[in-house]
Amino acid sequence: MRTIQDYRSAYADGAATPSSAIADVYGRIAAYGDAAVFIALRPIEAALADARALEGQGPQGRPLYGIPVAVKDNIDVAGLPTTAGCADFAYTPEVDAIVVARLRAAGAIIIGKTNLDQFATGLVGVRSPYGVPRNTIDPALAPGGSSSGSGVAVAAGLVPVALGTDTAGSGRVPAGLNAIVGLKPSLGALPTTGVVPACRSLDCVSVFAHSVADAWELFSAMAGPDAADPYSRQTLSAPARPADAPLRVGVPDAASRRFGGDALSEAAFDAALSAARAAGAALVPIDLTPFYATAALLYDGPWVAERYAAIRPFIEAQPEALLPITHGIIAGATRFSAADAFAGLYRLAELKAATSPVWADIDTLMVPTFPRPRTLADLEADPLGPNAELGTYTNFVNLLDLCALAVPGPARTDGWPAGVTFIGPAGHDADIADIAGRLFGTPGAASLPAPSAHGAVAPIELVVVGAHLSGLALNHELTSRGGRLLRAGQTTSDYRLFALAGGPPHRPGLLRVAEGAGRPIETEVWALEPQAFASFVAAVPSPLSIGTVRLADGSRPKGFLVEVEATHDAADISHFGGWRSFCAAPPQAQA
């Protein structure tokens, strides 16, 4: 089970319970065998106790009922040490961070604390005394930081969703380097009460997931001001732009494209641009010069002093407790004066004024998540240069009070990742989630659009096997309802396919049989909004019905099944492997 919908489906049809799901998570973590992903796990007995309590209460009013969540180890979880990647700094909080408390209230089950670049200082994922989590695409690559453990935990399928933080790109770079979704909300949308600050005025809690819809659900469950956080604010809203409005996507102009000389990454971004254009987006070249000038302020300007202020008593008392590279970066703040800080604020105001007119001409800015992947060997040779390069398209976002969402884009031809990030003004989180969900997909429920408001229900997956397949006679019944094709696949080998009597249009019937007594049948999985799904199901004629279908990828969406009585005078066509193959066969083979 990789997505929130996978868990919901398994709970709904009795294939799993929160207790069995949690036991499975701990088993997968042990089998994965990477001790650097988690700094601390909750005792399994504690997580199972939470699961059993949920089972006694039921899912009503708990939108994240039984969903396992991992938490970056600079975010407080009651009873577990918060280390921020530094053992000497560790303390054990008595209460959860407000975002964690809200997840628990929504029915989520916290699994443990994930690894990070020490004090959230880095975009590489290698600056931790607790080891380096393996990149899930290629172990030779950096996993990305600072939220390395959370990104890897989701990408490896250990948990469906995880919390990170993001000041300079830490919620986006690990997502891009591991080909998952990373949501960096508007500043203040998620309270940081109970989060160890990096730059408190710029910090965000971020979300890692396999789909835009899952990231948005987690965000929605946590969003809203908190009286204890003066930086928190109300930003959650429905998409502002009409769904049928022309989509204007800003992209780096020719002079603003930065790929570190890597032709494969540049070609992958060009493929992403082509995909966006093919999906109906109008591409608008944007000069990113003032954005890059803003990014330079984060580490070359006085904002590094805010990192020093965040841990000042600790770094002054125990400087030797920090990793040398972390200490060197944060201690560099001492070269800035109060006058430098004001000069930086004045310069930032100028750059905000220079960049803000851009948003009148575009609905979102689409950039590469990073110029190119960087390897562990690169960082061994140069610990600073590759880190700075990875932040090329991320460092300016929080300084300019923008929101961002990283999603996988077309991969490089060598298989290495090449993600894209959608950026928008503060408060436009729903807009960029909606745009990203429509233009780019990810595994599982990837192309589902984000829910448009707090508490909204995610779209529903529907398995089709016959005339509703793309391009066939009844496919219009899906597309006219706004259906979106998510993926093609197969059932498990527990089904048989029959050509039913009657028509036109001629239709098949999918029948579940004894385990292993059937064969895999070709399918497509579509997504429908709940209201559209309801109207579609209401029109399904007998002897067909909608039930739970077991797919070979482990998911269990709803889909077409047939009543057994209708198969008595129907031809068993299972050996064709699917309706398309049957329809393409000559008449004598169909007989």
Side-chain angles (χ1 to χ4, degrees):
M1 294 185 288
R2 294 172 66 85
T3 69
I4 290 175
Q5 187 58 46
D6 290 340
Y7 280 87
R8 286 186 179 138
S9 296
Y11 295 157
D13 68 13
T17 63
S19 294
S20 68
I22 293 305
D24 179 65
V25 167
Y26 279 80
R28 276 184 278 131
I29 292 171
Y32 188 64
D34 185 354
V37 176
F38 286 89
I39 291 177
L41 287 172
R42 293 182 68 205
I44 187 172
E45 295 82 7
L48 287 173
D50 286 353
R52 287 190 290 268
L54 283 171
E55 290 162 6
Q57 297 160 355
Q60 187 67 30
R62 298 175 179 84
L64 297 176
Y65 174 80
I67 303 300
V69 179
V71 177
K72 184 177 179 179
D73 196 20
N74 60 344
I75 303 173
D76 286 349
V77 172
L80 284 182
T82 298
T83 73
C86 180
D88 289 337
F89 177 80
Y91 63 92
T92 301
E94 295 182 357
V95 297
D96 291 326
I98 189 64
V99 288
V100 173
R102 289 175 179 178
L103 290 181
R104 289 193 200 263
I109 300 174
I110 307 302
I111 299 299
K113 307 292 290 296
T114 56
N115 204 352
L116 69 156
D117 281 330
Q118 191 174 68
F119 290 112
T121 302
L123 290 174
V124 288
V126 304
R127 299 173 177 176
S128 171
Y130 296 96
V132 178
R134 292 194 303 269
N135 183 288
T136 56
I137 306 299
D138 186 336
L141 295 176
S146 62
S147 309
S148 54
S150 289
V152 169
V154 171
L158 306 181
V159 290
V161 284
L163 298 187
T165 60
D166 188 306
T167 303
S170 297
R172 292 161 279 162
V173 170
L177 285 170
N178 290 277
I180 57 173
V181 170
L183 184 156
K184 187 224 78 72
S186 297
L187 293 176
L190 301 183
T192 57
T193 311
V195 178
V196 177
C199 293
R200 190 180 178 197
S201 65
L202 303 178
D203 291 340
C204 298
V205 174
S206 61
V207 179
F208 295 97
H210 285 283
S211 75
V212 172
D214 280 6
W216 187 260
E217 280 211 60
L218 217 66
F219 170 55
S220 299
M222 297 182 290
D226 173 49
D229 177 8
Y231 287 98
S232 66
R233 54 183 174 170
Q234 185 69 52
T235 63
L236 185 63
S237 63
R241 60 180 304 279
D244 58 352
L247 179 58
R248 305 164 301 165
V249 176
V251 299
D253 65 14
S256 301
R257 291 163 63 99
R258 297 185 179 182
F259 296 96
D262 192 314
L264 294 183
S265 287
E266 186 165 14
F269 185 63
D270 285 337
L273 297 180
S274 296
R277 191 181 293 111
L283 304 186
V284 181
I286 301 295
D287 177 9
L288 295 186
T289 300
F291 293 87
Y292 293 147
T294 304
L297 294 175
L298 194 59
Y299 285 104
D300 297 335
W303 271 267
V304 72
E306 194 170 12
R307 291 182 181 270
Y308 189 91
I311 59 167
R312 182 174 183 173
F314 181 76
I315 193 174
E316 291 180 350
Q318 299 184 62
E320 73 286 350
L322 277 69
L323 295 175
I325 190 167
T326 311
H327 181 271
I329 293 168
I330 297 176
T334 57
R335 71 182 188 272
F336 293 104
S337 67
D340 293 328
F342 279 104
L345 289 171
Y346 302 153
R347 178 58 177 153
L348 179 59
E350 294 171 356
L351 292 167
K352 284 184 176 180
T355 58
S356 60
V358 165
W359 304 108
D361 300 322
I362 59 175
D363 300 300
T364 185
L365 176 64
M366 187 179 89
V367 297
T369 300
F370 44 77
R372 55 177 169 160
R374 301 308 299 259
T375 66
L376 298 177
D378 291 339
L379 289 159
E380 184 70 24
D382 178 6
L384 294 175
N387 185 94
E389 183 183 81
L390 286 170
T392 298
Y393 298 104
T394 62
N395 284 349
F396 57 79
V397 172
N398 283 353
L399 280 166
L400 293 175
D401 196 9
L402 307 174
C403 56
L405 180 65
V407 300
R412 293 157 43 114
T413 55
D414 61 0
W416 280 7
V420 296
T421 294
F422 293 89
I423 301 171
H428 286 244
D429 306 78
D431 278 319
I432 63 169
D434 178 66
I435 292 168
R438 283 191 282 149
L439 294 184
F440 289 92
T442 51
S447 30
L448 303 183
S452 59
H454 183 83
V457 180
I460 299 171
E461 292 189 351
L462 176 71
V463 179
V464 299
V465 296
H468 287 95
L469 292 166
S470 54
L472 298 189
L474 297 181
N475 183 248
H476 66 91
E477 294 184 357
L478 295 173
T479 57
S480 65
R481 290 176 167 87
R484 300 175 183 277
L485 176 61
L486 300 182
R487 62 191 184 275
Q490 293 182 321
T491 68
T492 60
S493 57
D494 310 329
Y495 292 88
R496 303 202 70 81
L497 191 67
F498 295 85
L500 303 180
H506 299 295
R507 296 173 299 170
L510 184 69
L511 181 69
R512 186 178 169 196
V513 294
E515 186 174 351
R519 60 157 294 153
I521 302 299
E522 297 292 336
T523 70
E524 287 180 353
V525 180
W526 287 70
L528 288 171
E529 294 295 328
Q531 186 174 359
F533 180 83
S535 74
F536 180 86
V537 170
V540 173
S542 177
L544 300 178
S545 62
I546 300 295
T548 300
V549 180
R550 301 186 176 196
L551 299 185
D553 64 7
S555 62
R556 298 188 176 188
K558 301 306 177 184
F560 277 95
L561 294 172
V562 67
E563 298 170 6
V564 67
E565 289 82 0
T567 66
H568 294 159
D569 59 350
D572 188 335
I573 59 171
S574 306
H575 57 286
F576 286 96
W579 185 244
R580 286 188 193 276
S581 296
F582 170 75
C583 293
Q588 60 270 26
Q590 295 179 358

